Amino acid sequence: MSEMWDPVGVAVVGAGYWGPNLVRNFLACESTDLHWVCDTSLERAWNVVGRRSTVRATDRLDAVLEDTAVEAVAIATPVSTHGDLALAAIQAGKHVLVEKPLAASVQAGEVLVDEARRLGRVLMCDHTYCYTPSVAKLRALVHDGELGELHYVDSVRLNLGLVQADTDVFWDLAPHDLSILDFILPDGCIPDAVAAHGADPMGVGQACIGYLSMPLAGGAIAHSHVNWLSPTKIRTTVVGGSRRTVVWDDLHPSQRISIYDRGVELAGVLDPEEHRESQVSYRVGDIVAPALPEREALQGVVREFARSIRETRAPVTDGEAGLRVLRVLEAATRSLANGGALEPVAARV
Amino acid sequence: MSEMWDPVGVAVVGAGYWGPNLVRNFLACESTDLHWVCDTSLERAWNVVGRRSTVRATDRLDAVLEDTAVEAVAIATPVSTHGDLALAAIQAGKHVLVEKPLAASVQAGEVLVDEARRLGRVLMCDHTYCYTPSVAKLRALVHDGELGELHYVDSVRLNLGLVQADTDVFWDLAPHDLSILDFILPDGCIPDAVAAHGADPMGVGQACIGYLSMPLAGGAIAHSHVNWLSPTKIRTTVVGGSRRTVVWDDLHPSQRISIYDRGVELAGVLDPEEHRESQVSYRVGDIVAPALPEREALQGVVREFARSIRETRAPVTDGEAGLRVLRVLEAATRSLANGGALEPVAARV
Amino acid sequence: MSEMWDPVGVAVVGAGYWGPNLVRNFLACESTDLHWVCDTSLERAWNVVGRRSTVRATDRLDAVLEDTAVEAVAIATPVSTHGDLALAAIQAGKHVLVEKPLAASVQAGEVLVDEARRLGRVLMCDHTYCYTPSVAKLRALVHDGELGELHYVDSVRLNLGLVQADTDVFWDLAPHDLSILDFILPDGCIPDAVAAHGADPMGVGQACIGYLSMPLAGGAIAHSHVNWLSPTKIRTTVVGGSRRTVVWDDLHPSQRISIYDRGVELAGVLDPEEHRESQVSYRVGDIVAPALPEREALQGVVREFARSIRETRAPVTDGEAGLRVLRVLEAATRSLANGGALEPVAARV
Amino acid sequence: MSEMWDPVGVAVVGAGYWGPNLVRNFLACESTDLHWVCDTSLERAWNVVGRRSTVRATDRLDAVLEDTAVEAVAIATPVSTHGDLALAAIQAGKHVLVEKPLAASVQAGEVLVDEARRLGRVLMCDHTYCYTPSVAKLRALVHDGELGELHYVDSVRLNLGLVQADTDVFWDLAPHDLSILDFILPDGCIPDAVAAHGADPMGVGQACIGYLSMPLAGGAIAHSHVNWLSPTKIRTTVVGGSRRTVVWDDLHPSQRISIYDRGVELAGVLDPEEHRESQVSYRVGDIVAPALPEREALQGVVREFARSIRETRAPVTDGEAGLRVLRVLEAATRSLANGGALEPVAARV
């Protein structure tokens, strides 16, 4: 897809796990022109760039930030460095894309949002899943009323994961589920309370297994199970409604989304004196798996980043979306410290 | 399998959802001889017995309890009636098998256990899953140390379930997971605290979706997700250990049990200053799906019932096992009323 | 479902692998009344009847055939005995249901069909799969034109099967696929030629692995893979059409039937000089898995048997249907002997 | 993996479907240095190279063949052009890698093999699957005797495929299965006869659905089902042996290879007079899914190409392997023209 404007000059900071994916997608995108790959390890940066490329590798962030051809910077470094690096880039006048989570604390995230607004820069959070055809479909089904009233959102995200020293499994994996929840729920109604239960059976020093329970408006509930210690990989989200229920199984490429026209029907609050059969009935209808395009979500991320810059507007997953996710994460951390008690999610003052 | 002793004369009380399964299995078992099927609806009892049978149908429990050919009674009625019916049967001198959960309260369950002990009768709880080859294998793997130290037990039990007026989803479905946990954990170490989160998005009057979190000794955790509103049927339990992890998928008949020789290896508590790669490693070994016999669990239940009667011993899932499950359920109910706070599971005084 | 007429008095001959299923279904059916179970082994017959039944067990077929209460006989014995037993029953004035295949040869089958017609008795072949909701749906989709023109029918039926001395894998398993094909194809258009390839790698004395290719009208093809030596169990049939394609996976209970609105579109015969892209396009639409009732096919078989008797009409899978399957099997046997050459399927003179 | 020698200078000819994959893998391989991408469409070549590359794009094959920095050429063009392009490259002194099938006829393939031998150039056929960890495991299991005697090889390769004007489904898809068969069978014992059944239900002008049956030594059989008209994608190969059976499901990334310790045991040729139970028994053992590395097969192809050049030896899948596949394809084409008759596979004189 060709655009009317010049490609956006970009640099990628961080050549570890996620950076190479950003590099590949910036190179493949017509709307962006990649100039630099920067990493604390020059060798790592070089390896990502490769022998046959005119992209420059460096271990000097200054060189990148001083380059006027670089209009935008994508940051894919450890979470603890997001705040400082993103702030430096914004203050150098760059638009910024930050890998999730936006920062290591709500406070650090708020500094980024405020500074980007003050300087008129785009601040985007790489909530990659929001750019998949599957999540777009989930959102449409919720927003168009196809599911009826929302009953529950249940996410499971398991893997033999990257046990980390500077972050627990909640901060590592739950941002995916929380950003999806933020994206698909009506009016961005993120949960206003959360209870977290975790376990560190290996003695790593922080939770490797985690469960989040989040009451939602109208008696509904959201729940997320994240786990670094599972030998099997599972990525499913079920969104249950009064009319239909959607199952998203991201690892089932031929049928990622299944819409079940099934449910329980009630005549009202059950009366224990009456026969159940007269009060409860079941609807067992068809399953429909809608055709979805196969495209890489990250290509959507880099294009939205470029477009929001050229159109001087907020991106779909902007700094505020990143902040909303951070607020739930901080509340989860408090709940964990309080034995799993339900903690309120602070709204921004 | 023929036994040395006469078959045990039995009666089934309750011809609703589960009763017919008990009838079929008592008829197929060489160690039992079914005399009666009893239900408040005589027609329902007749339908279960059928035209070509010499088993008698009745709606009079007295007739059953007065029949001296009846040595044992199996009760498959609504939970709220378990206590009174089982007590009547015990006091009439019958051995008793009760569908799970044992009773509607810990107190009612304790009365049964005490009275059965006083009168020297067998009291067995129909924890059906404990008699499957899969759960037997799970137990053996845990007890033989094949899994190493226990890290987590995660159960998911979803269905378009029987929404009920006199019980919530925890009391309906969680007894399966709790009885399995009780059976497979070393030394019957049932959890000593539980946090419950539930939702009633349809306004039924009680939870239709539930999550139980149970800290276990040594930093491990057990978690159970039970749900009546799912359009898909899922029955899986994952038991994660330091050496191996077992996935039990009960709806995958050709490979119910998969043992993963995979895991995360640590050199100790992680030091954030060190590179992760030097401290964490992954073991990716084979998956083994052991051959398991295909046999109906309920056949094992009725045979164990008969044997424990003839051998005058406690059955594998005795009244005490039923009580341990009830105590977790009552603590879960308290937690639910307290906004999900962690509640201690009272031990018997 | 209650009928207006008296239940049909029946007897089951053969208490081996399939007989007990017939017994169970005759007992459960309101339209039939089971009187006898007959087997060359009296013990086997007794075991099927059970302790608490008023059904009689016997090893004397005469006793069964002489009993005037017995109006109909179901035969579930080895294939080689079908012809003689069914003939004896018909000549004794009984209606007859025969397990597939109808007989061990076309000639033996023709004798049965002729004699049943002469004496005005119902002759039914137990083509069980034709009574499943899945095959009923397949037939409806083909007949209603939902699939467009038929392109192919591909069946796979694998199992660690019952290697047999008196029959090969074609005669054992292919009757399922051929009877389904006979049932779903328009106008009962059974293939008019067949090529068979087989293998006997264990030296059993006959084919344990088999492939049948059958050209169909309009350039379409039917193919069946049957295999006794597979460690995995597979039962799938794909019916491909110009508009839609249906996949029936009988071992996937939550989604047995999937209708794919997908296909290749052509502008005509391809011109190698033109770019493919301008001549071929793809349609990638939704997958729909229609809700199907869960019911036992054999219950449909016994009810259809009873109804066709009381309504004095041919059953859906009558002797002629059984004959059509036999004719393909005999042609396959000839093809096998001729190195896989395409053999015509003889029509009845 | 770093090598002791200089990287091999390479060019890719053909920037259509497969060429970009070759480009990406040559760029990622330390043993190769990509200089050119050549296509009849210069724009297509440019698009593959991309904006930020020093690789040159061209539509002039001469320029590539005249470049002395180019030691080797990889050809990924339509099949009908393989012979001429590869011959030109060999005669220009280049080593050549050709996408499967090697050429459009045995004769054309033989010319390439002879000419490469005469000029001492490496001629390699891109039998990609032979470089997957799965096929390597299959080969090892067969060669190490783990499976016992070979009973059958059954392949299914379905897709909504690229219907083509200049090739049928046999020549498009069966080379995968035939090259795998050639690779895993002991002593490269490729089948010596083949029967082909095909269908062209859309009137494309050539077969879109195909079945190949190939008797193997010792009573075994190989069979391949290839299909362009399937809405579902299937890629499985089952290798059945007397001791174990392996199922390779290439689209099941978490368990691609499953080894079943299951089978049928016989006491000899079955005697129909004896009870089957006394002559046949079943072995139902564990399933083992060995841990396999996840790596891209094409990376193995380009590395083997480079190594065979530097080590002046034949590659694993050399021109002879390509020829053996061509001979089966030509025999299949003859069988198809002869109504499916078994055709001998001509050996090279």
Side-chain angles (χ1 to χ4, degrees):
Chain A
M1 191 187 312
S2 181
E3 307 286 355
M4 302 296 298
W5 22 263
D6 288 339
V8 176
V10 298
V12 168
V13 178
Y17 171 68
W18 195 243
N21 294 325
L22 285 166
V23 167
R24 182 169 44 78
N25 277 281
F26 279 127
L27 284 173
C29 179
E30 293 208 351
S31 309
T32 59
D33 188 17
L34 182 67
H35 291 258
W36 296 90
V37 173
C38 176
D39 195 279
T40 51
S41 156
L42 183 57
E43 188 191 359
R44 199 153 50 193
W46 268 121
N47 282 340
V48 169
V49 164
R51 195 156 43 199
R52 284 291 188 173
S53 176
T54 62
V55 175
R56 280 180 287 178
T58 182
D59 57 1
R60 290 188 48 240
L61 182 61
D62 289 355
V64 173
L65 296 185
E66 284 162 11
D67 183 348
T68 55
V70 173
E71 301 171 73
V73 171
I75 293 170
T77 58
V79 177
S80 57
T81 66
H82 284 187
D84 288 349
L85 293 176
L87 189 62
I90 291 168
Q91 289 177 341
K94 311 301 187 192
H95 305 285
V96 173
L97 171 68
V98 187
E99 196 191 350
K100 61 84 206 166
L102 180 62
S105 70
V106 170
Q107 195 198 353
E110 285 176 343
V111 168
L112 296 183
V113 168
D114 291 343
E115 194 71 356
R117 181 179 301 123
R118 192 177 65 85
L119 295 173
R121 300 292 94 183
V122 165
L123 174 63
M124 178 168 170
C125 195
D126 179 7
H127 290 166
T128 318
Y129 281 106
C130 299
Y131 298 86
T132 57
S134 298
V135 174
K137 186 74 187 176
L138 280 183
R139 179 183 158 94
L141 287 166
V142 171
H143 283 245
D144 298 352
E146 288 290 311
L147 305 186
E149 289 172 31
L150 192 73
H151 283 172
Y152 63 93
V153 182
D154 185 84
S155 297
V156 180
R157 192 170 300 274
L158 316 180
N159 208 354
L160 207 55
L162 300 168
V163 171
Q164 290 161 55
D166 67 342
T167 186
D168 66 12
V169 73
F170 292 106
W171 282 75
D172 181 44
L173 294 183
H176 291 305
D177 298 314
L178 295 173
S179 62
I180 292 166
L181 204 59
D182 182 64
F183 186 67
I184 66 173
L185 287 186
D187 310 312
C189 80
I190 202 82
D192 58 10
V194 63
H197 301 276
D200 173 21
M202 300 178 66
V204 170
Q206 55 206 345
C208 293
I209 300 169
Y211 300 94
L212 294 178
S213 291
M214 294 162 278
L216 298 177
I221 190 168
H223 187 274
S224 172
H225 173 200
V226 287
N227 192 322
W228 275 337
L229 304 183
S230 167
T232 56
K233 190 172 177 178
I234 299 182
R235 288 182 190 167
T236 57
T237 296
V238 182
V239 184
S242 56
R243 293 184 57 220
R244 291 197 184 80
T245 294
V246 194
V247 176
W248 170 34
D249 181 348
D250 198 45
L251 302 181
H252 189 351
S254 62
Q255 191 175 333
R256 289 188 209 274
I257 293 280
S258 301
I259 306 169
Y260 289 78
D261 184 14
R262 297 186 186 174
V264 179
E265 309 280 349
L266 291 188
V269 173
L270 291 185
D271 177 354
E273 300 302 308
E274 292 288 323
H275 274 296
R276 180 168 67 208
E277 290 71 13
S278 64
Q279 304 179 81
V280 183
S281 62
Y282 298 89
R283 190 168 25 85
V284 180
D286 296 351
I287 307 169
V288 175
L292 295 175
E294 277 293 319
R295 61 169 187 249
E296 188 171 5
L298 204 43
Q299 191 55 220
V301 171
V302 302
R303 183 179 301 141
E304 171 68 5
F305 187 42
R307 284 185 177 172
S308 62
I309 291 169
R310 282 291 177 266
E311 298 169 2
T312 55
R313 59 163 173 85
V316 168
T317 53
D318 61 2
E320 290 290 352
L323 269 184
R324 288 192 295 271
V325 168
L326 287 181
R327 288 190 199 107
V328 180
L329 289 173
E330 279 201 355
T333 297
R334 287 196 304 274
S335 171
L336 207 58
N338 288 341
L342 200 65
E343 285 288 325
V345 174
R348 192 168 196 182
V349 188
Chain B
M1 191 188 312
S2 181
E3 307 285 356
M4 301 298 295
W5 23 263
D6 288 339
V8 175
V10 298
V12 168
V13 178
Y17 171 69
W18 195 243
N21 294 324
L22 285 166
V23 167
R24 182 169 43 77
N25 276 281
F26 279 126
L27 285 174
C29 180
E30 293 209 353
S31 310
T32 58
D33 187 17
L34 182 67
H35 291 258
W36 294 90
V37 172
C38 176
D39 195 279
T40 52
S41 155
L42 182 59
E43 187 191 0
R44 201 154 49 197
W46 267 120
N47 283 338
V48 169
V49 164
R51 196 156 41 199
R52 284 291 188 173
S53 178
T54 63
V55 174
R56 280 181 287 177
T58 184
D59 56 1
R60 290 188 49 239
L61 182 61
D62 289 357
V64 173
L65 297 185
E66 286 162 9
D67 184 350
T68 54
V70 174
E71 300 172 74
V73 171
I75 295 171
T77 58
V79 177
S80 56
T81 66
H82 284 186
D84 288 349
L85 293 176
L87 190 61
I90 292 168
Q91 290 177 339
K94 312 301 186 189
H95 305 284
V96 174
L97 171 69
V98 187
E99 197 192 348
K100 61 83 204 164
L102 180 63
S105 69
V106 170
Q107 194 197 352
E110 287 176 342
V111 168
L112 297 182
V113 168
D114 291 344
E115 194 71 357
R117 182 179 300 124
R118 193 177 64 86
L119 295 173
R121 300 292 92 184
V122 165
L123 174 63
M124 177 169 172
C125 196
D126 179 5
H127 289 166
T128 319
Y129 282 106
C130 299
Y131 298 86
T132 59
S134 298
V135 173
K137 187 73 187 175
L138 280 182
R139 178 181 159 94
L141 288 165
V142 171
H143 283 246
D144 298 351
E146 287 290 310
L147 306 186
E149 289 173 31
L150 192 72
H151 283 173
Y152 62 93
V153 182
D154 184 84
S155 297
V156 179
R157 192 170 299 274
L158 315 180
N159 207 354
L160 207 56
L162 299 168
V163 171
Q164 290 162 55
D166 65 341
T167 186
D168 65 12
V169 73
F170 292 105
W171 283 75
D172 181 44
L173 294 182
H176 292 306
D177 298 314
L178 296 173
S179 62
I180 293 166
L181 204 59
D182 181 65
F183 186 67
I184 66 174
L185 288 186
D187 309 313
C189 81
I190 202 81
D192 58 10
V194 62
H197 301 275
D200 174 20
M202 301 179 65
V204 170
Q206 55 206 344
C208 294
I209 301 170
Y211 300 95
L212 294 178
S213 291
M214 294 161 279
L216 299 178
I221 190 169
H223 187 273
S224 171
H225 173 198
V226 286
N227 191 322
W228 276 337
L229 305 184
S230 168
T232 56
K233 191 172 176 176
I234 300 183
R235 288 183 190 166
T236 57
T237 296
V238 182
V239 184
S242 57
R243 294 186 55 221
R244 291 197 184 82
T245 293
V246 194
V247 176
W248 170 34
D249 181 348
D250 197 46
L251 302 181
H252 190 353
S254 61
Q255 193 174 332
R256 289 188 209 273
I257 293 279
S258 301
I259 306 168
Y260 289 77
D261 185 12
R262 296 185 185 172
V264 179
E265 308 280 350
L266 290 189
V269 173
L270 290 185
D271 177 355
E273 300 303 308
E274 293 288 323
H275 275 294
R276 179 169 67 207
E277 289 72 12
S278 63
Q279 304 177 82
V280 183
S281 61
Y282 298 89
R283 190 166 27 83
V284 181
D286 297 350
I287 306 169
V288 175
L292 295 175
E294 278 291 319
R295 63 168 185 250
E296 188 171 4
L298 203 42
Q299 191 56 220
V301 171
V302 303
R303 183 179 301 141
E304 171 68 5
F305 186 43
R307 285 186 177 171
S308 62
I309 291 168
R310 282 290 177 267
E311 297 168 3
T312 54
R313 61 163 173 83
V316 168
T317 54
D318 60 3
E320 290 289 352
L323 269 184
R324 289 193 295 271
V325 168
L326 286 181
R327 285 189 199 109
V328 180
L329 289 172
E330 278 201 356
T333 297
R334 288 196 305 272
S335 171
L336 206 59
N338 289 340
L342 200 64
E343 286 287 324
V345 174
R348 192 169 194 180
V349 189
Chain C
M1 190 187 311
S2 181
E3 306 285 355
M4 300 297 297
W5 23 263
D6 287 341
V8 176
V10 298
V12 168
V13 178
Y17 171 68
W18 194 243
N21 294 324
L22 285 167
V23 166
R24 182 169 43 79
N25 276 279
F26 279 126
L27 285 174
C29 179
E30 294 209 352
S31 309
T32 57
D33 187 19
L34 182 67
H35 292 259
W36 295 90
V37 173
C38 176
D39 195 279
T40 52
S41 156
L42 183 58
E43 188 191 0
R44 199 153 51 195
W46 267 121
N47 283 339
V48 169
V49 164
R51 198 156 41 199
R52 283 291 187 173
S53 177
T54 62
V55 175
R56 282 180 287 176
T58 182
D59 56 1
R60 290 186 50 239
L61 182 61
D62 289 355
V64 173
L65 297 184
E66 284 162 10
D67 183 348
T68 54
V70 174
E71 300 171 75
V73 171
I75 295 171
T77 58
V79 178
S80 56
T81 65
H82 285 186
D84 289 349
L85 292 176
L87 190 62
I90 292 169
Q91 290 177 340
K94 313 301 187 190
H95 305 284
V96 174
L97 171 69
V98 187
E99 196 191 350
K100 61 84 203 166
L102 179 62
S105 70
V106 171
Q107 195 197 353
E110 286 175 344
V111 168
L112 296 183
V113 168
D114 291 343
E115 194 71 359
R117 181 178 300 124
R118 192 177 67 86
L119 295 173
R121 301 291 93 183
V122 165
L123 175 62
M124 179 169 171
C125 196
D126 179 6
H127 289 167
T128 319
Y129 281 106
C130 299
Y131 297 86
T132 58
S134 298
V135 174
K137 186 74 187 178
L138 280 182
R139 179 182 159 93
L141 288 165
V142 172
H143 283 246
D144 298 351
E146 288 290 310
L147 306 186
E149 288 173 31
L150 192 73
H151 283 173
Y152 62 93
V153 182
D154 185 84
S155 297
V156 180
R157 191 171 300 275
L158 315 180
N159 208 354
L160 208 56
L162 300 167
V163 171
Q164 290 161 56
D166 66 342
T167 186
D168 66 11
V169 73
F170 293 105
W171 282 75
D172 182 44
L173 293 182
H176 292 306
D177 298 313
L178 295 173
S179 63
I180 292 166
L181 205 58
D182 182 64
F183 186 68
I184 66 173
L185 287 185
D187 310 312
C189 82
I190 201 83
D192 58 9
V194 63
H197 301 276
D200 174 20
M202 301 178 66
V204 170
Q206 55 207 345
C208 293
I209 301 170
Y211 300 94
L212 294 178
S213 291
M214 293 162 279
L216 299 177
I221 190 168
H223 188 273
S224 171
H225 173 199
V226 287
N227 191 323
W228 277 337
L229 305 183
S230 168
T232 55
K233 190 172 177 178
I234 299 184
R235 287 183 190 168
T236 57
T237 295
V238 182
V239 184
S242 56
R243 294 185 57 220
R244 290 197 185 82
T245 294
V246 194
V247 176
W248 170 34
D249 181 348
D250 198 45
L251 302 182
H252 189 351
S254 62
Q255 191 174 335
R256 288 189 209 274
I257 293 280
S258 301
I259 306 168
Y260 289 78
D261 185 13
R262 296 185 187 174
V264 179
E265 309 279 349
L266 290 187
V269 173
L270 290 185
D271 178 354
E273 299 303 306
E274 292 288 324
H275 276 295
R276 180 169 67 208
E277 289 73 12
S278 64
Q279 305 177 83
V280 183
S281 62
Y282 298 89
R283 191 168 25 86
V284 181
D286 296 351
I287 307 169
V288 174
L292 295 175
E294 278 290 320
R295 62 169 185 248
E296 187 171 6
L298 203 42
Q299 190 56 219
V301 170
V302 302
R303 185 179 299 142
E304 170 68 5
F305 186 44
R307 285 185 179 172
S308 62
I309 291 169
R310 283 290 176 265
E311 298 169 1
T312 56
R313 59 163 174 85
V316 168
T317 54
D318 61 2
E320 290 289 353
L323 270 183
R324 289 193 295 272
V325 168
L326 286 181
R327 287 190 198 108
V328 180
L329 289 173
E330 279 201 355
T333 298
R334 287 195 304 274
S335 172
L336 206 59
N338 289 339
L342 200 65
E343 285 287 325
V345 174
R348 191 166 196 185
V349 189
Chain D
M1 192 188 311
S2 183
E3 306 286 355
M4 301 297 297
W5 23 263
D6 288 340
V8 175
V10 297
V12 168
V13 179
Y17 171 69
W18 194 242
N21 294 325
L22 284 166
V23 167
R24 181 167 45 78
N25 276 281
F26 279 127
L27 284 173
C29 180
E30 293 208 352
S31 310
T32 59
D33 187 18
L34 182 67
H35 290 259
W36 295 90
V37 173
C38 176
D39 194 280
T40 52
S41 157
L42 183 58
E43 188 191 359
R44 200 154 49 195
W46 267 121
N47 282 340
V48 170
V49 164
R51 197 155 41 198
R52 285 290 189 174
S53 177
T54 61
V55 174
R56 279 181 289 178
T58 183
D59 57 0
R60 290 187 49 241
L61 182 61
D62 289 356
V64 173
L65 297 185
E66 285 162 11
D67 184 348
T68 55
V70 174
E71 300 171 75
V73 172
I75 294 171
T77 58
V79 177
S80 57
T81 67
H82 284 186
D84 289 349
L85 292 176
L87 189 63
I90 291 168
Q91 290 177 340
K94 312 300 187 192
H95 305 285
V96 174
L97 171 68
V98 187
E99 195 191 351
K100 60 84 204 165
L102 179 63
S105 70
V106 171
Q107 196 197 352
E110 286 175 343
V111 169
L112 296 182
V113 168
D114 291 343
E115 195 70 358
R117 182 179 300 125
R118 192 178 66 86
L119 295 173
R121 300 290 93 182
V122 165
L123 174 63
M124 178 168 171
C125 196
D126 179 6
H127 289 166
T128 319
Y129 282 106
C130 299
Y131 298 86
T132 57
S134 298
V135 173
K137 186 73 187 178
L138 280 183
R139 179 182 159 94
L141 288 165
V142 171
H143 283 245
D144 298 351
E146 288 290 311
L147 306 186
E149 289 172 31
L150 193 72
H151 283 172
Y152 63 93
V153 182
D154 185 85
S155 297
V156 179
R157 191 170 300 276
L158 315 180
N159 208 354
L160 207 55
L162 300 167
V163 171
Q164 290 162 56
D166 67 341
T167 186
D168 66 11
V169 73
F170 293 105
W171 283 75
D172 181 44
L173 294 183
H176 292 306
D177 298 313
L178 296 173
S179 62
I180 293 165
L181 205 58
D182 182 64
F183 186 67
I184 66 173
L185 288 186
D187 310 311
C189 82
I190 201 83
D192 58 9
V194 63
H197 301 277
D200 174 20
M202 300 178 67
V204 170
Q206 56 207 344
C208 294
I209 302 169
Y211 300 94
L212 294 179
S213 290
M214 295 162 279
L216 299 177
I221 191 168
H223 188 273
S224 171
H225 173 199
V226 287
N227 191 323
W228 276 338
L229 304 183
S230 168
T232 56
K233 191 172 176 178
I234 300 182
R235 288 182 190 168
T236 57
T237 296
V238 181
V239 184
S242 57
R243 293 185 56 221
R244 290 197 186 81
T245 294
V246 193
V247 176
W248 169 34
D249 181 348
D250 198 45
L251 302 181
H252 189 353
S254 61
Q255 192 174 332
R256 288 188 209 273
I257 293 280
S258 300
I259 306 168
Y260 290 78
D261 185 13
R262 296 183 186 175
V264 179
E265 310 279 350
L266 291 188
V269 172
L270 290 184
D271 178 353
E273 299 303 307
E274 292 288 324
H275 276 295
R276 180 169 66 209
E277 290 72 13
S278 64
Q279 305 179 80
V280 183
S281 61
Y282 298 89
R283 190 168 25 85
V284 181
D286 297 351
I287 306 169
V288 175
L292 295 175
E294 278 291 319
R295 62 169 186 250
E296 187 170 5
L298 204 42
Q299 191 56 219
V301 171
V302 303
R303 183 179 299 142
E304 170 68 6
F305 187 42
R307 285 186 177 171
S308 61
I309 291 169
R310 283 290 177 265
E311 297 169 3
T312 55
R313 59 163 174 84
V316 168
T317 53
D318 62 2
E320 290 289 352
L323 268 184
R324 288 193 296 271
V325 168
L326 286 181
R327 286 190 200 109
V328 180
L329 289 172
E330 278 201 355
T333 298
R334 287 197 304 275
S335 171
L336 207 58
N338 288 340
L342 200 65
E343 286 287 324
V345 174
R348 194 167 195 183
V349 190

